[in-house]
Amino acid sequence: MKTVTMVAPVNIAVIKYWGKRDEELILPINDSISGTLSTDFMCAKTTIQASPQFKENKFWLNGKEQNFDSPRLDSCLKEVKRRASPSCPILNWKIAICSENNFPTAAGLASSAAGYACLVAALAKLYKIEGDISSIARRGSGSACRSIYGGWVQWIKGDRPTGEDSIAIQLAPVAHWPEMRVLILVVNDERKKYSSTSGMKKSVETSDLLKYRASECVPKRVEAMKEAIFRKDFESFAKITMEDSNQFHAICLDTFPPCVYMNDTSHSISDVVHTYNECKSSNRVAYTFDAGPNACIYLLESETEEFLSVINYVFPPSSNTGYLKGLQVRQKPINKELEMMFQEKKHRPGALKYIIHTKIGDGPRMVEDSLLNDAGLPKNL
Ligand code: DP6
């Protein structure tokens, strides 16, 4: 019997991936760039066990047994086995997979990126795959290829129809910009949204703006973003991040029928960020929104206390316990000057569910404590 357990991070794009040129191989129409988040507060954990005793393959996700025949899981597994040495002794053994997220999936936070990065990293260890594995994680979920590396990561779209040049590369490690912090503002919203997969398919089919974005805007923006990251130029980083998020949501509206991901609270958060930056006469804080209403805020450590005082004032918690998860900071009241600016913008308590305060982190890593027992069954069932 052989067992491998790994944890893998979530990543948040600052230049978004939106649109595929090949649905099956998951090849994108444009490059994208993201920051990888620390696994301390948000991560996927996966154990894979291979045994000659197992009669069939099994898969549990967050405590529920899943169908093993999912095309994306199958695609990852096939590609890993194709890359393994034919003499690998466990290649024909059946496997049990058990995966969990340490953050609530119900909050609508991107979990497939961390999940598939973790699955592929664990499979790669199990079958001793050498070289880049981001192109394998990509086949599980496009954005998962960026979670294979820590720090700042670019997914190069590639040109070949077979996809072997559509890979993620690390632009800069965590240590390059250690002051960077991330706040995930979890918006209280239970509405069902379109998945990213179906939303981007509709955009490719119906949005003319999407073609313009991919050919004209993203190539320039990717170069400017790389420069901003290399030079640790937060002002430019923030501007490009917000512009790209806004353009992505404009394309969602240009899609027919439109896929609306941001809600009124999301728009209020964007307004608070712009007002805050105006008060400071520079871009101190940047928002970005994925395919859901939650905001992801990038900011430097020096700004977190003050910006959190504004968020707590504008979006008061319904109860104070557990409102700020992750890295803890001194909670200070809003100062008089900022209070004047924001008093008209106050919301009723509970518009935000909670906040996760985190930072940039490393890629997947192996851990000791297995999620499966020796019989190949989940320990927590
Ligand atoms: C808005 O990677 O979830 O988060 O490849 O179909 O699995 P599939 O889509 P997915 O899309 C992520 C879209 C996004 C932007 C991004 O992360 O770049």
Side-chain angles (χ1 to χ4, degrees):
M1 187 168 80
K2 247 193 119 201
T3 309
V4 173
T5 304
M6 308 270 302
V7 294
V10 167
N11 71 78
I12 302 287
V14 291
I15 304 289
K16 304 293 185 196
Y17 145 55
W18 198 250
K20 297 180 184 69
R21 61 178 203 274
D22 185 314
E23 288 279 331
E24 205 176 317
L25 290 173
I26 312 197
L27 299 177
I29 59 168
N30 61 266
D31 285 21
S32 53
I33 295 180
S34 57
T36 295
L37 305 190
S38 160
T39 51
D40 291 351
F41 311 111
M42 294 168 86
C43 70
K45 182 175 175 184
T46 301
T47 297
I48 307 185
Q49 209 168 72
S51 164
Q53 315 295 333
F54 292 165
K55 299 265 175 302
E56 53 182 347
N57 291 324
K58 292 265 193 190
F59 177 29
W60 289 267
L61 177 62
N62 293 321
K64 286 206 191 91
E65 185 156 5
Q66 310 286 313
N67 191 346
F68 208 93
D69 299 331
S70 118
R72 288 182 173 201
L73 171 60
D74 197 52
S75 170
C76 291
L77 198 56
K78 277 213 180 95
E79 186 58 19
V80 168
K81 289 193 169 183
R82 194 185 66 82
R83 296 250 305 256
S85 152
S87 60
C88 177
I90 65 169
L91 216 50
N92 295 320
W93 295 1
K94 301 285 183 211
I95 56 171
I97 304 174
C98 185
S99 192
E100 280 175 4
N101 298 317
N102 74 344
F103 55 95
T105 30
L109 298 167
S111 54
S112 64
Y116 275 107
C118 207
L119 175 88
V120 168
L123 284 171
K125 269 270 172 316
L126 194 72
Y127 297 111
K128 298 196 165 46
I129 304 290
E130 302 289 333
D132 172 77
I133 57 166
S134 71
S135 60
I136 311 179
R138 191 200 74 226
R139 289 168 169 240
S141 181
S143 55
C145 74
R146 297 186 311 240
S147 279
I148 292 295
Y149 298 103
W152 300 94
V153 181
Q154 178 178 4
W155 175 9
I156 298 168
K157 72 177 179 66
D159 297 315
R160 292 192 215 149
T162 41
E164 65 269 24
D165 58 348
S166 187
I167 56 166
I169 56 162
Q170 186 182 61
L171 295 174
V174 188
H176 170 69
W177 208 348
E179 306 86 359
M180 188 64 89
R181 294 291 175 272
V182 173
L183 298 170
I184 312 283
L185 308 186
V186 180
V187 171
N188 218 342
D189 183 302
E190 301 301 331
R191 273 181 322 152
K192 264 235 162 293
K193 57 171 180 69
Y194 308 93
S195 68
S196 313
T197 308
S198 60
M200 71 174 80
K201 187 161 187 278
K202 268 264 160 301
S203 296
V204 169
E205 284 161 8
T206 63
S207 170
D208 286 339
L209 276 187
L210 180 77
K211 298 179 185 72
Y212 178 73
R213 164 182 161 75
S215 65
E216 302 300 315
C217 307
V218 175
K220 290 184 201 127
R221 225 174 247 160
V222 161
E223 288 315 307
M225 179 55 88
K226 279 163 66 174
E227 189 66 21
I229 292 171
F230 292 149
R231 292 173 42 189
K232 296 173 57 174
D233 170 1
F234 189 85
E235 173 77 31
S236 308
F237 169 87
K239 182 162 182 281
I240 305 165
T241 297
M242 292 188 280
E243 283 172 346
D244 195 71
S245 173
N246 292 340
Q247 188 178 61
F248 154 48
H249 289 279
I251 281 160
C252 291
L253 273 189
D254 187 49
T255 298
F256 196 82
C259 32
V260 180
Y261 292 117
M262 292 171 69
N263 67 11
D264 289 350
T265 310
S266 320
H267 288 289
S268 301
I269 295 167
S270 130
D271 176 52
V272 165
V273 168
H274 285 294
T275 309
Y276 186 85
N277 287 341
E278 263 164 44
C279 287
K280 302 283 176 187
S281 306
S282 64
N283 292 323
R284 302 285 184 90
V285 179
Y287 56 75
T288 181
F289 295 86
D290 281 341
N294 301 323
C296 173
I297 306 285
Y298 277 99
L299 75 180
L300 297 179
E301 186 185 13
S302 52
E303 213 63 35
T304 49
E305 268 183 27
E306 186 144 60
F307 185 69
L308 273 170
S309 79
V310 172
I311 291 295
N312 279 326
Y313 176 78
V314 180
F315 300 102
S318 48
S319 107
N320 243 325
T321 47
Y323 192 54
L324 183 65
K325 301 179 193 294
L327 296 166
Q328 294 299 308
V329 292
R330 200 161 52 97
Q331 301 246 6
K332 64 174 193 183
I334 191 166
N335 73 33
K336 282 279 163 280
E337 184 203 349
L338 288 170
E339 185 172 359
M340 294 264 286
M341 293 297 294
F342 287 100
Q343 59 193 2
E344 300 293 311
K345 300 184 191 289
K346 271 193 93 152
H347 283 245
R348 57 169 176 79
L352 291 186
K353 241 188 225 162
Y354 56 85
I355 300 166
I356 306 173
H357 179 200
T358 183
K359 56 184 180 181
I360 301 297
D362 288 315
R365 65 170 204 284
M366 205 141 96
V367 292
E368 284 301 314
D369 45 333
S370 167
L371 296 171
L372 293 166
N373 63 24
D374 287 349
L377 293 169
K379 287 180 180 169
N380 313 319
L381 208 61

